[in-house]
Structure formats: structure tokens, C-alpha cells
Amino acid sequence: MTDEQEKGAAEQIRVGVLGARGRMGVEVCKAVDAATDMELVAMVDQGDWLFNASDAGAEVMVDFTTPDVVMDNLHWCIDQGISAVVGTTGFTEQRLERVRGWLDRKPGVGVVIAPNFGIGAVLMMQFAARAARHFESVEIIEQHHPRKLDAPSGTAAHTARLIAAARAEAGLGPAPDATKDEVAGARGADIDGVRVHAVRATGLVAHQEVLFGTTGETLTIRHDSYDRVSFMPGVLLAVRAVRNRPGLTLGLDALLD
Ligand SMILES: NC(=O)C1=CN([C@@H]2O[C@H](COP(=O)(O)OP(=O)(O)OC[C@H]3O[C@@H](n4cnc5c(N)ncnc54)[C@H](OP(=O)(O)O)[C@@H]3O)[C@@H](O)[C@H]2O)C=CC1
Ligand SMILES: O=C(O)C1=N[C@H](C(=O)O)C[C@H](O)C1
């Protein structure tokens, strides 16, 4: 059976992509197109008519756009009864609350929002959360390509919050630090008490190190995405799962268990 015949034989998920001409969007379109259980029915980018996607019968929309536009896109998808898989960054607790409110009015719709769809990155975050209670010091260093619009990365912010929660649960106080901040920013951003440093350089894709320290030892947990194909297995996993998970699913963790 050819790929095309195989695609026709099985029931396919009708998928639309928002941000289809972007770095991630292009990869997602290729991955969906190559998946035998999916049909790419809409490619929407800046300036395109969103209703192209509903007219085309999209059942799941994948969003890799920008933090400025993702909320409007997501609101539209939920209103239309279309489930969504979202990789775009910028999701604060307030934003998540708004999404939950929209979903309450559309009980059948599912939304998966994940700061990172790389399986290795998800494991890196889980390992970091597990290690957090055993070390008095921790710093996060994220490294990305220079065309990235936001800093720190969504992954770094999420990791910092996981670590902060684990430290609080273990009763750990602030990490020791006698530095006087003589140059603003030299010690990075403070996210819930965890220092986060953002590096931008040509040649990088998406990388993160979590550095833990305690008396006489350090532990470094590092993940590298060298190519955006690394995110695709996670994106496809979420596309397959989202319609069976009404409401909001945060992170890929729940889908990997
Ligand atoms: N969760 C994860 O695993 C990952 C998340 N990301 C995140 O995904 C997002 C996109 O990253 P990346 O692909 O590198 O960024 P790009 O800038 O390459 O792509 C974004 C695309 O969205 C388009 N766009 C802008 N506004 C709209 C709109 N209203 N409707 C539809 N499309 C629109 C942009 O068009 P134009 O350029 O004309 O403005 C652009 O083509 C970022 O937030 C990034 O951090 C990235 C990698 C992995
Ligand atoms: O913009 C990117 O490239 C990436 N964005 C996500 C983030 O901000 O965490 C995920 C990954 O780091 C790549």
C-alpha cells in the first residue's frame, strides 16, 4: 500500500496549523503531512483568514505563532469547537485562567499547552524538579537562536517554577548569594527565587542547562535541541490525544505516562 493509499484507508485527524510559515510551523506542516493518520487541511499565517481553517473542517489546530496573537487564536479555536495544541510561549497564570474560562463554556473541547514538545526537554524538566530538593544552589542557563522574540524561554520559566515549588515543599530557603548587583542583569532574571540566564547566539537552536550545587559537588542537567524535528513526536502525540482530553492539559508529561 502506498503512503497515499494508507492515508486514505484509516480515519484521519483533520489538522490546521497556525503560524504555518514560521520556523516551527513549517516543520509541523511537514510532520502532519507525513503522518498516515492525519490530514493537513489548513495552513494559516499572519494576514490569512482564520475561517479558512473552520471552512476546511479542521478538528485540531496547532499554534506556533507569537505571544501577542496566541490568545486571540486560541479563543477563536475554542469558540469554533476546535481542539488546539499550543507551543507558543507567553502563558502566565492569568492567561491560563482565561483559557479555562473559555473552555468551561465549550465542554467538549480540548487544549494542550506545552512549553516544550521535545521529549528530552520534558525529561530534563522532570529530572530537575526531582533533583531540586537535594541542592542548596540552582541556576538555569537557557540558550537559543537570536531570532527568538522572548526571554527567558517558556521552558526556562516553567523549569524555574517547578524547581521553586519543589524547594518550597522541601522547606529550602533562598539559594546563598552574597553578590552586590553592580551591573543590572549580571545575575540574570529572578523567577520565583531561581536565577535564569538567557543566551542568544547564531548557530544555536534551543538548549538548556540546570546547574545544581551543594557542598563539594554540582549536578548539571542539560538538554539540546539541535533541530526543530526534535519537537515533532511530541506535537503529533498531542494532536492524537487532544480531542480525547476535554479541558486544559498543561505540559506533555500527562501524555507520556
Ligand atoms: N513548545 C515548544 O516545543 C516550542 C515552542 N516554540 C515557540 O513557538 C513560537 C513560534 O516560534 P518560531 O516558529 O520560532 O517563530 P516564528 O517567528 O518563526 O513563527 C511564528 C509565525 O507566526 C506567524 N504569525 C504571526 N501572527 C500570526 C497570526 N495572527 N496568525 C497566524 N500566524 C501568525 C508569523 O508571521 P510573521 O513572521 O509574518 O509575523 C510567523 O510566520 C514561539 O513562541 C516559540 O517560543 C518554539 C519551538 C518549540
Ligand atoms: O523559540 C524557540 O525556539 C523555543 N521556544 C520554546 C521556549 O521558549 O521554551 C521551546 C524551545 O526552547 C524552543
Side-chain angles (χ1 to χ4, degrees):
M1 210 187 246
T2 65
D3 278 358
E4 281 311 307
Q5 285 167 329
E6 213 174 295
K7 265 185 170 264
E11 199 195 315
Q12 293 185 306
I13 309 168
R14 298 171 67 80
V15 182
V17 177
L18 288 152
R21 289 193 290 272
R23 286 176 288 271
M24 282 297 287
V26 165
E27 286 302 328
V28 174
C29 290
K30 280 196 264 178
V32 168
D33 205 33
T36 52
D37 57 343
M38 293 177 200
E39 186 184 357
L40 180 62
V41 296
M43 296 164 67
V44 181
D45 207 274
Q46 169 122 267
D48 295 338
W49 180 231
L50 256 179
F51 279 95
N52 289 347
S54 50
D55 291 349
E59 298 167 288
V60 177
M61 292 298 286
V62 180
D63 188 300
F64 282 95
T65 56
T66 70
D68 287 353
V69 303
V70 65
M71 288 299 278
D72 285 346
N73 287 345
L74 194 44
H75 195 182
W76 180 87
C77 291
I78 295 169
D79 254 6
Q80 295 295 310
I82 303 174
S83 292
V85 170
V86 181
T88 309
T89 45
F91 280 89
T92 58
E93 198 39 58
Q94 290 91 320
R95 281 187 167 204
L96 294 173
E97 261 321 293
R98 285 174 63 202
V99 175
R100 287 188 189 99
W102 300 332
L103 284 167
D104 283 347
R105 294 192 287 277
K106 288 280 181 178
V109 176
V111 170
V112 174
I113 300 176
N116 200 311
F117 281 97
I119 310 287
V122 173
L123 292 171
M124 174 265 294
M125 288 187 266
Q126 291 179 356
F127 297 156
R130 181 157 177 219
R133 64 193 300 271
H134 301 289
F135 292 87
E136 67 176 12
S137 297
V138 58
E139 307 246 338
I140 297 174
I141 305 102
E142 59 96 326
Q143 306 181 341
H144 282 83
H145 59 94
R147 295 178 70 191
K148 182 166 177 57
L149 296 179
D150 55 323
S153 69
T155 306
H158 188 66
T159 313
R161 291 190 190 105
L162 292 176
I163 289 171
R167 286 176 69 92
E169 200 182 322
L172 291 180
D177 183 2
T179 312
K180 291 196 188 76
D181 224 348
E182 286 169 4
V183 178
R187 292 287 293 112
D190 179 332
I191 298 185
D192 292 355
V194 179
R195 293 284 168 181
V196 181
H197 310 268
V199 177
R200 298 289 176 265
T202 301
L204 295 176
V205 178
H207 317 259
Q208 179 165 303
E209 254 181 45
V210 186
L211 171 65
F212 292 101
T214 192
T215 310
E217 64 173 327
T218 63
L219 169 69
T220 304
I221 302 175
R222 182 178 173 102
H223 175 260
D224 298 275
S225 273
Y226 298 108
D227 190 308
R228 291 180 180 83
V229 296
S230 62
F231 303 110
M232 295 309 124
V235 171
L236 297 186
L237 179 69
V239 169
R240 291 185 181 108
V242 68
R243 290 176 308 158
N244 300 322
R245 301 184 67 92
L248 180 60
T249 301
L250 271 184
L252 211 54
D253 309 58
L255 308 185
L256 291 175
D257 293 340

